[in-house]
Amino acid sequence: MSPGMATDSPLRVLYVEDDRVTALLFSQALLAETRIELRVAEDGAEALALVQEWRPEVLVLDAHLPDLHGDALLGQLRALPDLGRVPAYMCSADGEPEDLQRAQTAGFDGYWVKPVSPRVVLQALLALWQQRLSPG
């Protein structure tokens, strides 16, 4: 959690997804949830620009972005102040064991295979929000 942020404030989630329909479906699934603040970027460059002024607490990255792979973007984001240890999830249609292993090796905390279940995403994000209320 960022210094000075209230523990009951919305969980800041950055979703980097170049497919607008997928991004819209993801956004719609979280729209009614007031405990989550979602921002969407279409590529790595937009994500890197966005985090200069808005620090996410969770990263959700598509594997195949137009400008770089999700693994490379995670490395760049994790090199920034306050983002080195934020939870990160790969979100991809690639669901082979080697894809999951690659994401784990790259430092992702979880892997969601598309089409992603809104219930699964919401459960994971609300669990992270809940952890802020009772750290330790």
Side-chain angles (χ1 to χ4, degrees):
M1 184 173 68
S2 300
M5 183 175 290
T7 57
D8 61 349
S9 64
L11 183 72
R12 294 173 162 210
V13 179
L14 172 62
Y15 182 35
V16 186
E17 171 62 66
D18 62 317
D19 182 293
R20 290 183 180 188
V21 172
T22 302
L24 180 62
L25 291 172
F26 193 94
S27 299
Q28 290 296 318
L30 302 177
L31 190 61
E33 183 48 67
T34 59
R35 293 171 286 182
I36 297 171
E37 178 185 347
L38 177 68
R39 303 253 178 120
V40 178
E42 290 188 9
D43 59 29
E46 185 178 345
L48 290 164
L50 178 63
V51 300
Q52 297 307 313
E53 298 180 20
W54 182 83
R55 282 294 199 237
E57 297 170 274
V58 180
L59 303 170
V60 181
L61 310 179
D62 183 20
H64 304 287
L65 297 166
D67 53 354
L68 71 166
H69 195 276
D71 296 353
L73 178 57
L74 180 63
Q76 291 181 32
L77 289 167
R78 287 257 170 99
L80 298 173
D82 300 327
L83 294 181
R85 298 178 56 87
V86 298
Y89 294 85
M90 174 68 74
C91 189
S92 177
D94 304 333
E96 297 299 319
E98 59 268 17
D99 299 316
L100 280 65
Q101 182 59 51
R102 177 180 174 173
Q104 185 178 23
T105 300
F108 284 91
D109 300 287
Y111 198 103
W112 295 328
V113 178
K114 295 177 186 176
V116 179
S117 163
R119 183 182 54 77
V120 169
V121 171
L122 194 55
Q123 279 182 325
L125 295 177
L126 291 179
L128 291 170
W129 180 83
Q130 186 67 34
Q131 286 176 8
R132 292 190 331 185
L133 298 178
S134 54

